Every structure is written in C-alpha cells, then in structure tokens.
C-alpha cells in the first residue's frame, strides 16, 4: 500500500521514497531505449530481419513513446505520479517479456511498441513526483540528478550489456529486464507517497492553458530548438560526423560516444547545482540557460569548421553543454501551477521528441545534397553546411531572449534588476518557509 499523501518530511525520505524509485524507472527506460543498438547482431541471428525492418523495429519505440505523452500528462495531473507510473511499468514489463519471446518481425514490432508506450511516462512521472516533494529552489538540481540517472541507463546499454551477453543470450537478458521493471513498479507502489487530493478546479486545466502560459512560451521559444538539436544529433549524426570527417574507426567512435555519455551524467548534475547556486544570487534559471545555450551554439559553429584535431574535444563539449537544455523541465515545473505540471512536462517532451525527429531528418536532407564517396561517406562540406544551418536557426531565439530582457530592464535596468533580486529573495524565503511549515519542520531549509 502506498504511503500517505503527505510529502516526506526529510531529505533522506525524499530520496528513498520519491527520487530513488522514479529515478530507477527513468534509468531502465533509457537503457531499454538504447539497447537495440548493442543487440543488432543477436537479433539478426535469431530473427530474419531486413535493414528497413530493423530500423522500423528501433524507431517504433519512439513513435509509441510520443503518442502516449499527452494522455499520460493528463493522467498524471488527475491521478498522481505513483498510481499512473505503477500501471505503466506493468505494461512495459509485459512488452519486454513478449519481446524476449518473439520469433517474427510482427511479434517483435508489437512488443517493442508496447514497451515504448509503457515506458513513455518514466521521466515525466519522476518530474511530477519530485515537483510535489521538493522545494522549488531545489528543483533544477534534482532534475539534473534525474537526467544523470537516464544517462547512466544509456551508458549501461553499451559495455555492461555486452558483458552480460557472455552469460546469457538476448532473450534471457530481456527476461531479466522484465523482472527489473516489475520490481521497480513494486517499489513505486509500496514506497512512493500517494497523490494528494487535487485542488478544486485544478483538474480543469487543459493543454490550451499550458500553451497560453507566458512562462511556458518563453521557455519553449528559447530552449526547444537547442534541446531538439542536442537530442537529435547525439542519437544519430554525431558518430557519423566523427567517422566521415575525422576518419576515426568504429572503436574510436564508440569510445568518444561513451565519453559523451559520461559528459551527460556529469553535465546534468553540474548544471542543476549551478542553477541552484545562481538562483541564490538572484539569477533566474532561464537567464542561466540562455548563457549556456549561447556557448552550445558557439560549439556548433566551431563544429561546422571541421578542424580535425579539435573534433574529439568538440564532440564532448557538444554533449556537455547540451545538457543545459535539460533545464527546461525544471523551469516549466517551477513556473506553472501544480495542477498543470504533468501536462506541461509531457507537452514539452512531445515537442522535444518531434523536434529531434525533424532535426535528424533535416540534417540528413542537407547531407544528401552532396554525393557520397566509395566508402559511403559524406564530404566535410556537407557537414559544414548542416551544422551551420542548425546553429544559425538557433541564433534568433537567443537574440529575442536577450533583446527582450534588455527592453524589460529599461533605462534603469541595474536598479530594477537589484530590486527584482531582493523581491525574489524575499519570495523565495517565504516560499521555503511555507513549504517547510507544511512538512512539519521548525525552521526553513538552508
């Protein structure tokens, strides 16, 4: 039976009862999302698959994942994260088990789609759960830890999975993963606090209300395209760029991509801690994100230059600075009413997945304007054009943000900024005091 609807009263309880079960779900989701890349040879050896079928089998996960985002968001706001996530993980466990017992392309396809639908709410449920259990000022750092858990899951889908295949085949591996997902669902059911009764009228919010929210629109206008570029290029074209332009072999590319996964883990934690540090000094998370994304776009312009000696460093910097885009989830969760955080997070997730698909396809279309050589490699000029176009498309969003911020500051910008910082500090203190008093504490968090 789930715990009471009251949020945990200590940081240790928040970690053990809220963060850990939901972070484990996100970890498993990212592991299963990336695992097909490692199991390609085993799948082809067991089931006769054409290259197009293999590609469809991998991408159907993302299709199902995207289709369930909005329904999951509405369910999270209405029924709470623990109840929704528990049922979704049972669906995912069924899909994983069926995938391990499939013997044809059709069976694998439907099982993979069921898996994607069941795992589609892992990160969003985690965002919803921690948003109700953590003080607003700490959300960026906690969200950074969640993203780091996902990066660890993606890293586990590489070398650790290869090592596991020395002891079992891919079918045994999926059976073990199905048990792991079931165990995670049980942890969430037993440990995670049940949702508090919804505030009157809160469930009446709609996606239209989310899209009309000024904070949501400002966040999307600044961060959606960079987040889509980060997600889209890291998952497909970054490795191809290292191979075609840098001339690195498969082992070297795999090593550099593995360093990139380590950079995701480190970067997500560092960005969250930096956002919390900056907030205590009066800097809004969106302003910090704009500075980080400016550096991210500068790295992409440098990548367009195709300087071979700098390719390894740029590939790691691209992933490291790209984690700044993950602040959009925390900014949205801080800005919107609690009754809309589930819908807002899943709406943002759907936009990012759609944007990543457009970025991947568009990048390929630009490369296709140049012929390939005998090794099926695109020339450096093709990558220069593709990276240059993407970087240029992100510049207007940054300019609009900084111009709008300058206009809002007005002629006495420094005085207004100082006053705003004092007001924000007071409001932050009052918010923390109210939050801690509700948890039964005797003093505000430091």
């Amino acid at each position: 039976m789930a715990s009471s609807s009251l949020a945990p009263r200590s940081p240790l309880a928040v970690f053990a009862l809220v963060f850990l079960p939901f972070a484990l779900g996100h970890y498993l989701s990212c592991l299963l999302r990336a695992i097909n890349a490692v199991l390609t040879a085993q799948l082809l050896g067991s089931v006769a698959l054409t290259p197009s079928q293999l590609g469809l089998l991998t991408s159907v996960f993302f299709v199902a994942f995207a289709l369930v985002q909005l329904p999951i968001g509405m369910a999270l706001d209405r029924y709470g994260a623990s109840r929704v996530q528990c049922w979704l993980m049972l669906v995912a466990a069924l899909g994983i088990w069926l995938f391990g017992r499939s013997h044809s392309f059709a069976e694998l396809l439907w099982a993979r789609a069921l898996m994607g639908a069941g795992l589609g709410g892992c990160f969003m449920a985690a965002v919803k759960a921690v948003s109700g259990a953590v003080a607003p000022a700490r959300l960026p750092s906690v969200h950074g830890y969640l993203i780091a858990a996902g990066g660890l899951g993606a890293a586990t889908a590489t070398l650790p999975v290869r090592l596991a295949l020395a002891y079992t085949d891919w079918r045994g591996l999926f059976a073990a993963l199905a048990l792991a997902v079931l165990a995670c669902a049980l942890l969430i059911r037993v440990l995670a606090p049940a949702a508090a009764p919804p505030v009157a009228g809160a469930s009446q919010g709609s996606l239209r209300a989310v899209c009309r929210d000024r904070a949501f629109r400002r966040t999307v206008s600044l961060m959606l395209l960079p987040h889509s570029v980060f997600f889209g290029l890291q998952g497909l074209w970054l490795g191809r760029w290292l191979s075609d332009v840098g001339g690195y072999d498969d082992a070297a590319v795999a090593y550099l991509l593995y360093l990139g996964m380590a950079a995701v883990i480190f970067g997500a934690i560092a960005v969250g801690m930096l956002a919390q540090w900056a907030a205590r000094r009066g800097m809004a998370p969106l302003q910090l994100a704009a500075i980080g994304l400016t550096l991210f776009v500068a790295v992409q312009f440098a990548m367009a230059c195709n300087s071979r000696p700098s390719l390894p460093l740029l590939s790691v910097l691209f992933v490291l600075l790209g984690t700044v885009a993950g602040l959009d989830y925390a900014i949205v969760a801080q800005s919107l009413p609690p009754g809309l955080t589930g819908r807002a997070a899943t709406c943002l997730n759907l936009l990012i997945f759609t944007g990543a698909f457009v970025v991947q396809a568009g990048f390929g279309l630009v490369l296709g304007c140049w012929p390939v050589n005998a090794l099926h490699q695109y020339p450096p000029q093709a990558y220069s054009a593709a990276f240059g176009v993407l970087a240029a498309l992100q510049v207007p969003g940054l300019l609009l943000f900084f111009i709008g911020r300058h206009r809002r500051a007005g002629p006495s910008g420094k005085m207004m900024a100082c006053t705003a910082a004092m007001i924000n500090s007071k409001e932050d203190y009052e918010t923390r005091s109210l939050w801690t008093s509700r948890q039964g504490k005797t003093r505000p968090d430091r």
Side-chain angles (χ1 to χ4, degrees), residues 70-92:
L70 298 183
I72 287 176
M74 291 184 284
L76 287 173
D77 286 332
R78 183 168 184 177
Y79 301 109
S82 58
R83 183 186 301 181
V84 172
Q85 181 64 356
C86 180
W87 283 105
L88 284 174
M89 296 207 78
L90 293 178
V91 173

Side-chain angles (χ1 to χ4, degrees), residues 9-167:
R9 297 190 175 187
S10 71
L12 180 60
V14 170
F15 174 80
L17 303 182
V18 180
F19 178 84
L20 191 59
F22 286 98
L24 179 59
H26 182 47
Y27 165 87
L28 291 170
S29 174
C30 291
L31 191 162
L32 286 156
R33 184 190 307 172
I35 198 170
N36 272 17
V38 179
L39 299 179
T40 298
Q42 287 75 16
L43 288 172
L44 294 176
S46 300
V47 183
L49 298 174
T50 65
S52 61
Q53 287 177 330
L54 183 62
L56 180 60
L57 184 62
T58 302
S59 62
V60 73
F61 182 99
F62 295 97
V63 174
F65 197 97
L67 288 176
V68 299
Q69 289 302 299
L70 298 183
I72 287 176
M74 291 184 284
L76 287 173
D77 286 332
R78 183 168 184 177
Y79 301 109
S82 58
R83 183 186 301 181
V84 172
Q85 181 64 356
C86 180
W87 283 105
L88 284 174
M89 296 207 78
L90 293 178
V91 173
L94 176 61
I96 297 166
W97 181 76
L98 290 174
F99 191 91
R101 295 178 61 86
S102 300
H103 294 84
S104 68
F105 169 69
E107 292 175 348
L108 289 169
L109 187 70
W110 285 110
R112 179 78 172 168
L114 192 63
M115 192 190 313
L119 296 172
C122 286
F123 184 67
M124 300 301 103
V127 169
K128 179 72 175 178
V130 300
S131 297
V134 176
R138 294 182 177 179
L139 280 180
S141 59
V142 176
H143 285 186
Y145 299 144
L146 285 174
I147 295 173
L152 184 60
T156 305
T158 56
L159 183 60
V161 167
R162 290 185 184 274
L163 294 176
L165 291 174
Y167 301 94

Side-chain angles (χ1 to χ4, degrees), residues 20 24 48 89 122 132 137 176 185 195 253 281 293 326 343 353 361 365 381 393 417 421 443:
L20 191 59
L24 179 59
M89 296 207 78
C122 286
V253 170
R281 285 152 181 82
L293 293 178
R343 265 164 281 207
F353 267 83
L365 288 175
Q381 296 86 347
L393 288 174
R443 58 175 183 164

Side-chain angles (χ1 to χ4, degrees), residues 268-404:
I269 296 174
V271 166
M273 295 177 65
L274 183 61
Q276 188 171 328
W277 173 85
R280 291 197 296 266
R281 285 152 181 82
M283 179 182 289
L286 200 61
Q287 183 182 358
L288 176 66
I291 296 172
L293 293 178
T294 301
L295 298 175
F296 180 58
V297 173
V299 167
Q300 294 172 56
F301 277 118
M303 294 169 78
C305 296
N306 287 328
S307 175
R308 293 191 179 186
S310 62
L311 259 59
L313 175 61
L314 289 174
S315 67
V316 175
L317 283 177
F318 175 86
V319 180
L320 181 65
L321 291 171
T323 56
V324 175
L327 277 174
D328 50 6
Y329 293 107
I331 293 171
V332 167
Q334 286 177 320
S335 304
L336 271 73
L340 291 176
T341 54
R343 265 164 281 207
T346 51
C347 183
L348 179 61
N349 213 33
L350 177 59
L351 291 173
I352 292 170
F353 267 83
T354 305
F357 170 77
V358 173
V359 166
Q360 286 186 345
F363 199 93
L365 288 175
V366 174
L367 293 181
C369 296
W370 279 263
V372 295
N373 61 17
L375 299 176
H376 299 283
Q377 295 174 330
Y378 290 102
Q381 296 86 347
Y383 287 95
S384 293
F387 279 118
V389 168
L390 280 182
L393 288 174
Q394 296 167 73
V395 171
L398 291 169
L399 289 177
L400 287 174
F401 174 82
F402 286 114
I403 292 173

